Amino acid sequence: MISITFENKTQFWDNYFWDFGDNNESTEEDPTHTFTESGTYQITLITSNNCTSDTIIQELVIISPPVADFEFTPGEGCGPLTVQFINTSTEQIDNQIWTFEGGNPSTSTETNPIVIFEQAGNFEVSLEVSNIAGSDQMTQTAIEVFPDPISAFSYTVSDLSVSFTNLSEHGENYIWDFGDWLFEGEAPIHVFSASGDYEV
């Protein structure tokens, strides 16, 4: 949205009629008009007096500053995570620069880049867009790459009964194999049937 004041330089006229090319008109001598959208407008001024009338038409190009915005899919997953970004910024865009924390590539000037995130973590993505009227930037923590699980445990032996402590990191599901029995769960206590060496 932008407001423009028109200066009437007509001489020897009594009446004025303005057509702003967007279904709005005025009979003021030097009107101020607000254009709500970017675009090309044909500005018409018709002037008249008791003798005759005259018409002048000029083309006006309105360019509003862009508003940065983007979408992406997926926003989370296991690495390496391939993410499609889509520039949904409004208004005309002459230049754009993406910055991807932890991404490959780390920057891009493409409209809809594809980026790979390999390391686990939460990563910021920034998009700056600009045109002749101005610029805008949007930054958000957009991407989460899940860490790989790390299996680990300790145990305490009492006769044939063994208490296991799960020391794993980043796990969600656990399956234990005691060599003589399978168990699904966090941290079991298992009683072996006989003395011996068991691979757990």
Side-chain angles (χ1 to χ4, degrees):
M1 182 179 296
I2 185 170
S3 295
I4 297 179
T5 298
F6 294 88
E7 181 182 358
N8 190 338
K9 295 185 176 182
T10 307
Q11 297 180 352
F12 315 119
W13 303 97
D14 300 324
N15 302 298
Y16 311 95
F17 175 81
W18 295 85
D19 184 338
F20 301 109
D22 62 351
N23 297 319
N24 288 283
E25 302 167 347
S26 175
T27 56
E28 296 179 16
E29 183 174 354
D30 297 310
T32 297
H33 180 61
T34 299
F35 293 87
T36 59
E37 297 180 357
S38 299
T40 301
Y41 299 91
Q42 300 295 323
I43 309 301
T44 303
L45 171 59
I46 302 174
T47 55
S48 62
N49 60 19
N50 291 332
C51 298
T52 188
S53 65
D54 190 34
T55 300
I56 182 173
I57 299 175
Q58 293 188 21
E59 187 174 88
L60 175 65
V61 178
I62 300 292
I63 300 177
S64 299
V67 178
D69 196 10
F70 62 87
E71 299 174 351
F72 51 90
T73 183
E76 61 182 23
C78 300
L81 181 66
T82 300
V83 182
Q84 171 74 70
F85 290 89
I86 300 175
N87 187 340
T88 56
S89 304
T90 60
E91 306 300 337
Q92 174 184 323
I93 298 173
D94 295 331
N95 298 289
Q96 59 197 350
I97 178 70
W98 296 83
T99 303
F100 306 104
E101 178 188 18
N104 182 20
S106 59
T107 62
S108 177
T109 57
E110 295 181 14
T111 302
N112 302 315
I114 295 176
V115 183
I116 299 175
F117 296 84
E118 296 191 10
Q119 301 300 317
N122 294 286
F123 302 104
E124 280 191 348
V125 176
S126 176
L127 171 62
E128 182 177 358
V129 292
S130 63
N131 61 23
I132 193 173
S135 64
D136 189 38
Q137 181 173 331
M138 178 182 184
T139 300
Q140 60 176 314
T141 302
I143 305 302
E144 180 181 5
V145 180
F146 303 139
D148 292 335
I150 300 173
S151 297
F153 66 88
S154 64
Y155 58 88
T156 302
V157 179
S158 177
D159 294 326
L160 296 177
S161 177
V162 181
S163 297
F164 292 90
T165 300
N166 190 342
L167 303 176
S168 303
E169 298 180 20
H170 315 302
E172 295 180 358
N173 303 294
Y174 308 95
I175 297 178
W176 297 78
D177 184 350
F178 299 107
D180 63 348
W181 181 55
L182 290 177
F183 174 80
E184 185 172 349
E186 180 76 26
I189 297 175
H190 181 57
V191 179
F192 291 87
S193 58
S195 300
D197 293 330
Y198 295 89
E199 184 177 275
V200 178

